[in-house]
Amino acid sequence: MSSDPRPPHSLPEVQYDEAGTVTRPILRINQSKTGVRRRKPSSDIDLDAPELYFNRELSHLQFNIRVLEQALDESHPLFNRLVFLLIFSSNLDEFFEIRVAGLKRQLAFGRETSDADGMRPAEVLKEISRICHEQVDRQYHILNDILIPALEEHNVRFVRRNQWSHAQKAWVAKYFQDEIMPVISPIGLDPSHPFPRLVNKSLNFIVSLEGKDAFGREGGLAILPAPRSLPRLIRMPGDLTQGGDEFVFLSSMIHAHAELLFPGMKVKGCYQFRLTRNADLLVDPEEVSDLASALRGELLSRRYGDAVRLEVADNCPDELSHFLLHQFGLSEDELYRVNGPVNLNRLMTVMGQTERPDLEFPPFTPGLPKPLKREEGSIFNAIRQQDILLHHPFESFAPVEDMLREAARDPNVVAIKQTLYRTGADSEIVNALVEAARNNKEVTVVIELRARFDEADNLALASRLQEAGAIVIYGVVAYKTHAKMMHILRREHGKLKHYAHVGTGNYHAKTAKLYTDYGLLTAHPELCEDVHKVFQQLCGMGQVLQMNHLLHAPFTLHKQLVAMIEREAEHAAAGHKARIIIKCNSMTEPKLIRALYKASQAGVEIDMIIRGMCCLKPGLPGISETIRVHSIIGRFLEHTRVFYFHHNGRDEVYCASADFMERNMFRRVETCFPLLEPRLANRVRKDLETYLVDNCQRWCLQSDGSYRLQTPAEGEAEISVQETLLDAYAIKVG
């Protein structure tokens, strides 16, 4: 047993050396033959025991730490290392807004629950605070001591107040007078000016004043909310720089000229702070008669939810920090002192204000599958001949848009049905649906309004589609529609022909360049019929429809996945080769984890490629000895969900919109589709095997909760799965 003094269910962080860099021990993948031993599962092991499970919130934090680690990876270009650091900051914001807020809500209302790991909310919050304070300090160390100096070596500078030249000071003063003074509104705190209600994650300053104002009021405290309309990072004119790209922070400008906002008074101190609030939307399905109207009301309250975290400048005096904590009802554990800007996400604009391709990943052009290259006519001709698999971002998302655009204009197309989760009101997908509706096609769109943080965009696109004449449906109130599917009905030779697209990712062209996802274009009659049936269930009412091939939540997906895992266990128990590979974003659902434990006990070789949360503990003697958990963190966000089963030599490969989570299995509408053509199934299986030999971006989860980064053995070639897929499918530029 470990002597680690941390709570028994906490996840030890990765280990770092004195420079703040992760230690990177070599851990080779198990190359032994799989599934050849006959095993009898132990019946006296309680697979529900809490010590067999990691806490999901702490596992989520471990994923964010692996993202932060990319900022130290010198194989990434410098700008992209900065982006990884900012993504860590953005991820942490959402973690507090949703996950921490949920735990605090449980405590506030006395409704404490625990997951399979058995940790209570108070325990989890304490461990979250410890880990987050450590990692936020490390984040600012990486920014200030590693990335900013490295950027300066490449003539990209963030110029601080004490570094401004006389000319720069004059330019800043004029910018302050012209752009900031007219829109900023200082708020003095006194009985007639109570503490203001501050917007979630907004930049603010607390100012300590001395002297009397025009009304004879003694100086005290004031709050300066930074106008949200102003950029947080301003590029200096080229003639004022030393050459290269130089930026100044809005916060530096406000600090330098704060006294101008309080004429005749002395500013004793000005300190930036930022408050994070609960941003989860609570819509009770039993109390809602109009989901769109309910969400519009909730969106207004998101900006002013309960406080969950306070960030302040590290030079802010204790008395002011404690004053702010008191105002927001927070404890010392929820205070984060930071050495730099409190709103790091706004640094993302530096990439848009510079032309430095040498500091970014080299560009590439997504490829096209051969059937689409050969077919010069209608895309429907190519799909009719064979199923076409697209692997984004290595292969283009354009064929999906082209298919829908052609359908909108094709006089033979009768009807189009589409699900939208995260898309954007001005996307090419929505433009094509609008055009189709205006061309008198029967257009039905199932929009999931409750896609977190995209609710406002989804309300806007719903209105746009309705105005064009499309039928817009918001799915089923108690179940989020998370399935990714399109169905097109086309009249050919006097008969109706079905076409479909099903995928693992959203219909969003921008994320298709950043996220790895699979999409299938098919005219397979039975698979298309299944897609049509799912739309029938979403749009109408009736009993669960029998599917030919598709697995769908909340009806058959969970049950069938458990059955397929148990089937592999039976093969192993009979002495046959048994193999499972699961690739998804999260692994938290207890029944599926128990099924995998039992399969491992039977001798099934199991590899899981889990990007984020994983509650399963691999490598436990007698429980999960044959289970390995991998996590790929790299240039692209791993988003594909793929489930492979050896099935006694009859390989089965499924792609899905669902993760191995309770919400995906029981509270969402999800689809899981098989790759029925052997060549496509074999291709995806080979992709999965490449993930398992990556020795550049692959982390392996240990049974104690730590992750180890894989590195090439001496003399071994570097293998990056994402680079391998780029070489295989994309077209390099330059």
Side-chain angles (χ1 to χ4, degrees):
M1 294 293 290
S2 171
S3 60
D4 195 325
R6 284 177 281 225
H9 302 292
S10 66
L11 293 179
E13 290 84 322
V14 290
Q15 300 299 309
Y16 310 102
D17 60 22
E18 293 180 358
T21 305
V22 73
T23 56
R24 302 181 177 210
I26 296 172
L27 182 68
R28 302 303 306 139
I29 185 171
N30 185 342
Q31 300 286 358
S32 62
K33 293 182 179 180
T34 60
V36 296
R37 295 192 303 277
R38 189 189 301 263
R39 290 187 180 181
K40 184 177 180 180
S42 174
S43 59
D44 59 354
I45 296 177
D46 180 10
L47 296 182
D48 292 325
E51 59 268 21
L52 301 186
Y53 299 85
F54 291 125
N55 178 268
R56 58 170 287 164
E57 317 301 357
L58 302 183
S59 182
H60 194 167
L61 276 181
Q62 287 294 309
F63 163 66
N64 285 335
I65 293 170
R66 295 196 296 281
V67 171
L68 178 60
E69 179 60 30
Q70 304 307 303
L72 289 170
D73 189 340
E74 295 183 359
S75 68
H76 296 315
L78 191 52
F79 270 179
N80 297 100
R81 290 170 63 190
L82 176 62
V83 167
F84 280 115
L85 182 132
L86 303 183
I87 291 172
F88 168 82
S89 184
S90 176
N91 286 353
L92 208 57
D93 284 351
E94 183 173 341
F95 182 78
F96 275 89
E97 290 175 296
I98 304 301
R99 307 310 311 175
V100 172
L103 291 168
K104 285 173 66 70
R105 190 186 306 118
Q106 286 188 43
L107 290 176
F109 290 96
R111 297 178 180 174
E112 295 187 49
T113 60
S114 59
D115 292 326
D117 62 282
M119 288 187 76
R120 308 299 294 178
E123 292 179 84
V124 180
L125 285 170
K126 184 176 182 179
E127 188 65 6
I128 285 172
S129 176
R130 184 191 68 79
I131 294 172
C132 286
H133 277 92
E134 180 179 300
Q135 294 302 322
V136 168
D137 287 346
R138 184 166 176 263
Q139 175 191 24
Y140 280 88
H141 158 67
I142 294 171
L143 175 66
N144 294 321
D145 301 335
I146 299 175
L147 294 184
I148 287 180
L151 288 166
E152 289 175 350
E153 292 178 6
H154 290 84
N155 293 321
V156 178
R157 303 181 188 88
F158 302 102
V159 189
R160 305 304 175 96
R161 280 180 289 160
N162 59 4
Q163 299 171 327
W164 294 343
S165 66
H166 289 297
Q168 288 173 334
K169 286 180 181 178
W171 177 80
V172 168
K174 187 174 188 309
Y175 187 97
F176 186 87
Q177 288 283 356
D178 295 346
E179 302 292 336
I180 300 175
M181 279 281 284
V183 294
I184 199 166
S185 299
I187 303 169
L189 300 183
D190 62 28
S192 63
H193 297 84
F195 198 94
R197 197 178 183 196
L198 301 176
V199 174
N200 182 33
K201 297 186 297 185
S202 60
L203 173 63
N204 300 278
F205 301 83
I206 185 167
V207 183
S208 177
L209 299 168
E210 189 175 85
K212 291 185 178 182
D213 72 356
F215 298 95
R217 294 176 297 182
E218 289 286 348
L221 297 178
I223 300 297
L224 279 178
R228 297 174 72 84
S229 60
L230 294 178
R232 299 313 192 237
L233 194 65
I234 299 100
R235 183 188 176 99
M236 282 191 171
D239 59 350
L240 297 180
T241 70
Q242 305 172 36
D245 303 290
E246 296 192 356
F247 299 88
V248 61
F249 291 106
L250 175 69
S251 56
S252 295
M253 292 184 170
I254 292 176
H255 278 128
H257 298 93
E259 288 198 351
L260 295 178
L261 299 169
F262 305 95
M265 304 189 75
K266 181 180 179 181
V267 172
K268 295 165 58 180
C270 179
Y271 311 97
Q272 58 179 315
F273 70 93
R274 187 175 77 141
L275 181 69
T276 308
R277 296 182 179 275
N278 179 349
D280 207 4
L281 299 184
L282 298 177
V283 178
D284 186 345
E286 295 183 0
E287 300 294 330
V288 170
S289 58
D290 184 337
L291 182 59
S293 297
L295 275 175
R296 288 189 181 96
E298 282 292 315
L299 284 172
L300 295 175
S301 66
R302 167 178 279 169
R303 303 172 73 183
Y304 300 105
D306 294 336
V308 294
R309 176 184 59 169
L310 175 64
E311 298 164 279
V312 300
D314 60 356
N315 63 341
C316 182
D318 287 345
E319 61 268 22
L320 294 185
S321 298
H322 293 152
F323 170 79
L324 291 171
L325 287 174
H326 176 72
Q327 292 295 323
F328 303 130
L330 295 174
S331 68
E332 189 77 26
D333 286 345
E334 294 159 314
L335 174 68
Y336 290 78
R337 296 181 177 275
V338 300
N339 180 21
V342 296
N343 52 342
L344 282 181
N345 298 342
R346 296 296 190 97
L347 286 179
M348 198 73 77
T349 61
V350 70
M351 274 67 76
Q353 298 186 66
T354 57
E355 292 288 340
R356 295 299 302 270
D358 57 311
L359 301 182
E360 300 184 64
F361 283 120
F364 68 94
T365 299
L368 279 178
K370 290 180 181 178
L372 294 179
K373 291 179 182 177
R374 292 194 298 263
E375 184 58 56
E376 297 180 357
S378 168
I379 193 171
F380 294 110
N381 292 340
I383 300 170
R384 195 162 50 246
Q385 295 172 35
Q386 60 185 302
D387 285 357
I388 298 173
L389 185 69
L390 301 171
H391 194 179
H392 315 305
F394 318 106
E395 292 178 303
S396 177
F397 183 72
V400 182
E401 296 174 320
D402 292 343
M403 179 182 179
L404 190 55
R405 194 180 297 112
E406 182 179 337
R409 300 167 184 173
D410 185 344
N412 294 316
V413 168
V414 176
I416 301 171
K417 291 184 174 68
Q418 172 99 42
T419 60
L420 296 179
Y421 189 73
R422 301 185 192 276
T423 302
D426 296 322
S427 74
E428 287 300 310
I429 291 287
V430 177
N431 290 342
L433 290 168
V434 167
E435 183 178 3
R438 290 174 176 166
N439 288 341
N440 297 318
K441 312 294 183 189
E442 190 71 21
V443 177
T444 304
V445 184
V446 181
I447 299 179
E448 181 46 68
L449 295 180
R450 296 161 297 170
R452 186 173 288 150
F453 299 116
D454 281 301
E455 297 94 346
D457 285 345
N458 287 351
L459 285 165
L461 75 87
S463 297
R464 186 175 174 219
L465 287 165
Q466 287 169 330
E467 289 168 2
I471 299 171
V472 175
I473 294 167
Y474 300 137
V476 184
V477 171
Y479 300 87
K480 279 190 179 182
T481 302
H482 195 246
K484 328 296 185 185
M485 55 185 187
M486 176 199 306
H487 178 260
I488 296 173
L489 199 58
R490 191 170 186 262
R491 193 173 298 281
E492 298 177 3
H493 309 295
K495 296 182 179 180
L496 292 176
K497 176 74 174 179
H498 296 256
Y499 296 86
H501 172 269
V502 282
T504 68
N506 299 306
Y507 289 101
H508 198 303
K510 182 177 179 180
T511 56
K513 297 176 182 177
L514 303 172
Y515 294 9
T516 69
D517 274 306
Y518 284 113
L520 182 71
L521 302 171
T522 182
H524 189 287
E526 292 181 346
L527 198 52
C528 288
E529 182 186 10
D530 287 348
V531 172
H532 175 61
K533 287 179 178 178
V534 176
F535 275 113
Q536 281 185 295
Q537 290 182 171
L538 283 169
C539 300
M541 300 185 76
Q543 296 294 313
V544 178
L545 299 174
Q546 184 71 35
M547 300 290 166
N548 300 297
H549 302 284
L550 209 65
L551 308 178
H552 63 313
F555 306 114
T556 62
L557 179 56
H558 183 267
K559 179 173 63 177
Q560 290 300 317
L561 284 172
V562 170
M564 288 188 283
I565 294 170
E566 291 175 344
R567 185 185 61 196
E568 290 298 312
E570 291 171 2
H571 290 316
H576 302 303
K577 177 178 178 179
R579 184 88 168 96
I580 296 173
I581 305 176
I582 303 294
K583 184 177 186 298
C584 59
N585 300 328
S586 300
M587 167 74 66
T588 65
E589 205 285 305
K591 292 180 181 177
L592 288 168
I593 293 176
R594 284 197 293 272
L596 290 165
Y597 281 157
K598 290 178 181 178
S600 178
Q601 290 176 324
V604 181
E605 291 289 331
I606 303 170
D607 280 286
M608 301 195 304
I609 306 161
I610 312 297
R611 184 191 78 205
M613 294 182 288
C614 183
C615 295
L616 177 149
K617 289 188 176 183
L620 296 177
I623 298 169
S624 57
E625 289 177 80
T626 65
I627 301 179
R628 294 165 293 274
V629 178
H630 319 262
S631 177
I632 301 289
I633 309 291
R635 174 177 181 175
F636 307 112
L637 182 75
E638 290 296 333
H639 197 252
T640 49
R641 290 96 164 195
V642 184
F643 316 139
Y644 164 79
F645 301 93
H646 180 65
H647 192 19
N648 207 22
R650 293 166 287 174
D651 288 0
E652 290 184 345
V653 178
Y654 288 83
C655 297
S657 61
D659 292 307
F660 273 39
M661 300 178 71
E662 296 93 324
R663 69 185 188 190
N664 299 97
M665 296 295 156
F666 307 118
R667 300 192 300 275
R668 289 187 172 185
V669 177
E670 305 275 12
T671 51
C672 178
F673 55 95
L675 297 179
L676 298 174
E677 294 193 10
R679 62 182 179 85
L680 298 183
N682 188 53
R683 170 186 160 182
V684 171
R685 180 182 57 79
K686 289 182 178 179
D687 287 350
L688 292 174
E689 291 171 349
T690 307
Y691 277 91
L692 299 178
V693 296
D694 184 300
N695 57 19
C696 296
Q697 303 299 149
R698 179 169 59 94
W699 299 75
C700 283
L701 175 61
Q702 308 302 296
S703 57
D704 67 354
S706 62
Y707 279 82
R708 293 183 183 175
L709 180 64
Q710 311 309 287
T711 57
E714 186 176 350
E716 183 181 38
E718 293 185 350
I719 302 173
S720 165
V721 63
Q722 293 187 353
E723 287 298 320
T724 300
L725 293 170
L726 270 176
D727 289 338
Y729 299 119
I731 303 167
K732 295 291 183 67
V733 177

